[in-house]
Amino acid sequence: AQSVAQPEDQVNVAEGNPLTVKCTYSVSGNPYLFWYVQYPNRGLQFLLKYITGDNLVKGSYGFEAEFNKSQTSFHLKKPSALVSDSALYFCAVRERGDYKLSFGAGTTVTVRA
Amino acid sequence: NAGVTQTPKFRVLKTGQSMTLLCAQDMNHEYMYWYRQDPGMGLRLIHYSVGEGTTAKGEVPDGYNVSRLKKQNFLLGLESAAPSQTSVYFCASSYGPAGGEDTQYFGPGTRLTVL
Protein backbone atom coordinates (compact mmCIF):
# COMPACT_ATOMS: atom_id res chain seq x y z
CA ALA A 1 0.00 0.00 0.00
CA GLN A 2 1.15 3.53 -0.73
CA SER A 3 0.87 6.50 1.60
CA VAL A 4 2.06 10.05 2.05
CA ALA A 5 2.78 12.04 5.20
CA GLN A 6 3.00 15.79 5.46
CA PRO A 7 4.23 16.27 9.03
CA GLU A 8 3.39 19.97 9.30
CA ASP A 9 -0.19 21.21 9.24
CA GLN A 10 1.00 24.79 8.89
CA VAL A 11 4.13 26.60 7.75
CA ASN A 12 4.58 30.32 8.37
CA VAL A 13 7.35 32.32 6.75
CA ALA A 14 8.14 35.96 6.05
CA GLU A 15 8.12 37.21 2.49
CA GLY A 16 11.56 36.87 0.94
CA ASN A 17 12.60 34.01 3.19
CA PRO A 18 13.08 30.42 2.00
CA LEU A 19 10.04 28.17 2.07
CA THR A 20 10.12 24.42 2.67
CA VAL A 21 7.11 22.10 2.80
CA LYS A 22 7.94 18.57 3.91
CA CYS A 23 6.68 15.29 2.48
CA THR A 24 7.60 11.69 3.12
CA TYR A 25 6.15 8.70 1.31
CA SER A 26 5.82 4.96 1.55
CA VAL A 27 5.53 2.63 -1.44
CA SER A 28 6.54 -0.94 -2.16
CA GLY A 29 8.49 -0.10 -5.29
CA ASN A 30 9.61 3.00 -7.14
CA PRO A 31 7.37 6.05 -6.79
CA TYR A 32 5.98 8.77 -8.94
CA LEU A 33 5.75 11.90 -6.76
CA PHE A 34 3.74 15.08 -7.20
CA TRP A 35 3.07 18.44 -5.63
CA TYR A 36 -0.20 20.30 -6.07
CA VAL A 37 -1.31 23.69 -4.75
CA GLN A 38 -4.84 24.76 -3.86
CA TYR A 39 -5.84 28.39 -3.52
CA PRO A 40 -8.99 29.26 -1.55
CA ASN A 41 -12.19 28.01 -3.16
CA ARG A 42 -10.28 26.63 -6.14
CA GLY A 43 -9.36 23.22 -7.47
CA LEU A 44 -5.90 21.74 -7.25
CA GLN A 45 -3.22 23.00 -9.58
CA PHE A 46 -0.24 20.90 -10.61
CA LEU A 47 3.16 22.26 -9.52
CA LEU A 48 5.72 19.61 -10.36
CA LYS A 49 6.42 15.89 -10.48
CA TYR A 50 9.25 13.41 -10.13
CA ILE A 51 9.21 10.49 -12.53
CA THR A 52 12.82 9.44 -12.94
CA GLY A 53 16.26 10.91 -13.50
CA ASP A 54 17.53 14.08 -11.81
CA ASN A 55 16.60 14.16 -8.15
CA LEU A 56 16.02 17.93 -8.25
CA VAL A 57 12.80 18.78 -10.05
CA LYS A 58 11.87 22.31 -11.06
CA GLY A 59 8.25 23.35 -11.44
CA SER A 60 5.88 26.26 -11.78
CA TYR A 61 6.09 29.60 -9.97
CA GLY A 62 9.75 29.12 -8.93
CA PHE A 63 9.12 25.97 -6.89
CA GLU A 64 11.40 22.98 -6.85
CA ALA A 65 11.49 19.66 -5.03
CA GLU A 66 14.21 17.19 -4.18
CA PHE A 67 13.66 13.47 -4.34
CA ASN A 68 15.62 11.60 -1.67
CA LYS A 69 15.23 7.86 -2.00
CA SER A 70 17.17 6.94 1.14
CA GLN A 71 15.02 9.23 3.29
CA THR A 72 11.85 8.54 1.24
CA SER A 73 11.24 12.27 1.06
CA PHE A 74 10.13 14.76 -1.55
CA HIS A 75 10.28 18.20 0.08
CA LEU A 76 8.98 21.25 -1.78
CA LYS A 77 11.15 24.36 -1.72
CA LYS A 78 11.17 27.94 -2.88
CA PRO A 79 14.22 30.15 -2.32
CA SER A 80 12.27 33.36 -1.76
CA ALA A 81 8.61 33.16 -0.75
CA LEU A 82 5.93 35.59 -1.90
CA VAL A 83 2.71 36.57 -0.15
CA SER A 84 0.89 35.11 -3.16
CA ASP A 85 2.37 31.68 -2.33
CA SER A 86 -0.01 31.48 0.63
CA ALA A 87 -2.14 28.41 -0.10
CA LEU A 88 -2.74 24.75 0.76
CA TYR A 89 -0.09 22.39 -0.60
CA PHE A 90 -0.56 18.68 -1.23
CA CYS A 91 2.03 16.00 -1.82
CA ALA A 92 0.91 12.87 -3.68
CA VAL A 93 2.45 9.52 -4.61
CA ARG A 94 1.67 6.78 -7.05
CA GLU A 95 3.34 3.44 -7.09
CA ARG A 96 4.39 2.45 -10.58
CA GLY A 97 1.81 0.07 -12.00
CA ASP A 98 -1.07 1.49 -9.95
CA TYR A 99 -3.83 3.75 -11.23
CA LYS A 100 -4.36 5.77 -8.12
CA LEU A 101 -2.75 8.76 -6.51
CA SER A 102 -2.55 8.91 -2.72
CA PHE A 103 -2.56 12.40 -1.24
CA GLY A 104 -1.16 13.74 1.98
CA ALA A 105 -3.38 15.69 4.37
CA GLY A 106 -2.03 19.00 3.13
CA THR A 107 0.09 21.81 4.56
CA THR A 108 -1.22 25.35 4.85
CA VAL A 109 1.45 27.89 3.95
CA THR A 110 1.12 31.46 5.13
CA VAL A 111 3.61 34.03 3.88
CA ARG A 112 3.47 37.30 5.79
CA ALA A 113 4.44 40.60 4.27
CA ASN B 1 -10.39 24.71 -23.67
CA ALA B 2 -12.55 24.85 -20.58
CA GLY B 3 -10.53 22.01 -19.02
CA VAL B 4 -12.44 20.21 -16.29
CA THR B 5 -15.80 21.66 -15.27
CA GLN B 6 -18.14 20.60 -12.48
CA THR B 7 -21.86 21.19 -11.99
CA PRO B 8 -23.20 22.40 -9.59
CA LYS B 9 -20.74 24.52 -7.59
CA PHE B 10 -22.80 24.41 -4.39
CA ARG B 11 -25.65 22.26 -3.15
CA VAL B 12 -27.54 21.74 0.09
CA LEU B 13 -29.44 18.47 0.56
CA LYS B 14 -31.58 17.00 3.27
CA THR B 15 -30.77 13.57 4.63
CA GLY B 16 -32.17 10.91 2.33
CA GLN B 17 -32.34 13.06 -0.78
CA SER B 18 -30.53 12.08 -3.96
CA MET B 19 -28.46 14.07 -6.40
CA THR B 20 -26.00 13.75 -9.26
CA LEU B 21 -22.78 15.68 -9.71
CA LEU B 22 -21.61 16.17 -13.26
CA CYS B 23 -18.01 16.36 -14.38
CA ALA B 24 -17.07 17.24 -17.95
CA GLN B 25 -13.68 17.48 -19.63
CA ASP B 26 -12.79 18.67 -23.09
CA MET B 27 -9.21 17.38 -23.21
CA ASN B 28 -10.04 13.93 -24.64
CA HIS B 29 -8.72 12.29 -21.48
CA GLU B 30 -9.25 8.57 -21.01
CA TYR B 31 -9.05 8.53 -17.21
CA MET B 32 -11.40 10.35 -14.86
CA TYR B 33 -11.62 10.42 -11.06
CA TRP B 34 -13.88 11.57 -8.27
CA TYR B 35 -12.36 12.65 -4.95
CA ARG B 36 -13.72 14.07 -1.75
CA GLN B 37 -11.80 16.57 0.36
CA ASP B 38 -12.31 16.78 4.09
CA PRO B 39 -10.37 18.95 6.54
CA GLY B 40 -7.15 17.31 7.72
CA MET B 41 -7.62 14.28 5.46
CA GLY B 42 -6.42 15.43 2.09
CA LEU B 43 -8.16 14.03 -0.97
CA ARG B 44 -9.61 10.55 -0.96
CA LEU B 45 -10.51 8.70 -4.13
CA ILE B 46 -14.17 7.68 -4.37
CA HIS B 47 -14.42 6.09 -7.82
CA TYR B 48 -12.50 6.28 -11.04
CA SER B 49 -12.83 5.32 -14.71
CA VAL B 50 -10.17 4.13 -17.13
CA GLY B 51 -12.31 4.73 -20.20
CA GLU B 52 -15.81 5.15 -21.59
CA GLY B 53 -18.17 2.56 -20.14
CA THR B 54 -15.84 1.55 -17.28
CA THR B 55 -15.87 2.38 -13.58
CA ALA B 56 -13.97 1.13 -10.55
CA LYS B 57 -14.02 1.64 -6.79
CA GLY B 58 -11.52 3.82 -5.06
CA GLU B 59 -10.69 4.24 -1.41
CA VAL B 60 -14.11 5.40 -0.11
CA PRO B 61 -16.83 4.19 -2.54
CA ASP B 62 -19.66 3.40 -0.10
CA GLY B 63 -22.78 5.50 -0.60
CA TYR B 64 -21.79 6.64 -4.08
CA ASN B 65 -22.36 5.40 -7.60
CA VAL B 66 -20.81 6.55 -10.86
CA SER B 67 -21.35 6.28 -14.58
CA ARG B 68 -19.19 7.02 -17.63
CA LEU B 69 -21.54 6.75 -20.59
CA LYS B 70 -19.59 9.27 -22.63
CA LYS B 71 -15.84 9.73 -22.66
CA GLN B 72 -16.07 13.39 -21.73
CA ASN B 73 -18.47 13.00 -18.81
CA PHE B 74 -18.20 11.30 -15.41
CA LEU B 75 -21.24 11.39 -13.13
CA LEU B 76 -21.21 10.90 -9.37
CA GLY B 77 -24.50 9.96 -7.73
CA LEU B 78 -25.66 9.96 -4.15
CA GLU B 79 -28.78 7.81 -3.85
CA SER B 80 -29.61 8.63 -0.22
CA ALA B 81 -27.50 11.45 1.14
CA ALA B 82 -26.14 11.32 4.68
CA PRO B 83 -24.56 14.07 6.80
CA SER B 84 -21.24 12.17 6.58
CA GLN B 85 -21.22 12.98 2.87
CA THR B 86 -20.91 16.70 3.57
CA SER B 87 -17.67 17.51 1.79
CA VAL B 88 -16.06 19.21 -1.16
CA TYR B 89 -16.04 16.98 -4.22
CA PHE B 90 -13.40 17.25 -6.92
CA CYS B 91 -13.32 15.68 -10.32
CA ALA B 92 -10.04 15.12 -12.16
CA SER B 93 -8.95 13.70 -15.49
CA SER B 94 -5.74 12.53 -17.15
CA TYR B 95 -4.61 11.03 -20.45
CA GLY B 96 -3.46 7.84 -18.81
CA PRO B 97 -3.09 6.39 -15.35
CA ALA B 98 -2.72 8.77 -12.45
CA GLY B 99 0.91 9.75 -12.34
CA GLY B 100 3.48 8.49 -14.82
CA GLU B 101 3.95 10.92 -17.66
CA ASP B 102 0.37 12.07 -17.24
CA THR B 103 -0.76 14.77 -14.87
CA GLN B 104 -4.21 14.88 -13.32
CA TYR B 105 -6.16 18.06 -14.01
CA PHE B 106 -8.74 19.08 -11.44
CA GLY B 107 -12.08 20.80 -11.65
CA PRO B 108 -13.07 23.72 -9.38
CA GLY B 109 -15.01 21.54 -6.94
CA THR B 110 -18.58 21.13 -5.67
CA ARG B 111 -19.33 22.06 -2.08
CA LEU B 112 -22.07 19.75 -0.77
CA THR B 113 -23.81 20.11 2.57
CA VAL B 114 -26.17 17.42 3.83
CA LEU B 115 -28.44 18.52 6.66
Side-chain angles (χ1 to χ4, degrees), chain A residues 6-7 12-13 17 23 25 35-36 44 47-48 64 70 75 77 83 90 92 94-95 100 103-104 106:
Chain A
Q6 294 180 242
N12 299 306
V13 298
N17 282 1
C23 171
Y25 66 90
W35 276 101
Y36 284 85
L44 276 70
L47 276 180
L48 51 81
E64 59 187 28
S70 63
H75 301 329
K77 299 180 181 181
V83 172
F90 290 100
R94 179 175 86 87
E95 187 169 347
K100 302 178 294 295
F103 285 84

Side-chain angles (χ1 to χ4, degrees), chain B residues 1-24:
Chain B
N1 281 353
V4 181
T5 59
Q6 292 182 233
T7 308
K9 289 185 171 55
F10 303 94
R11 186 72 185 268
V12 178
L13 292 178
K14 295 181 179 179
T15 296
Q17 287 184 318
S18 63
M19 77 164 294
T20 300
L21 282 66
L22 172 64
C23 175

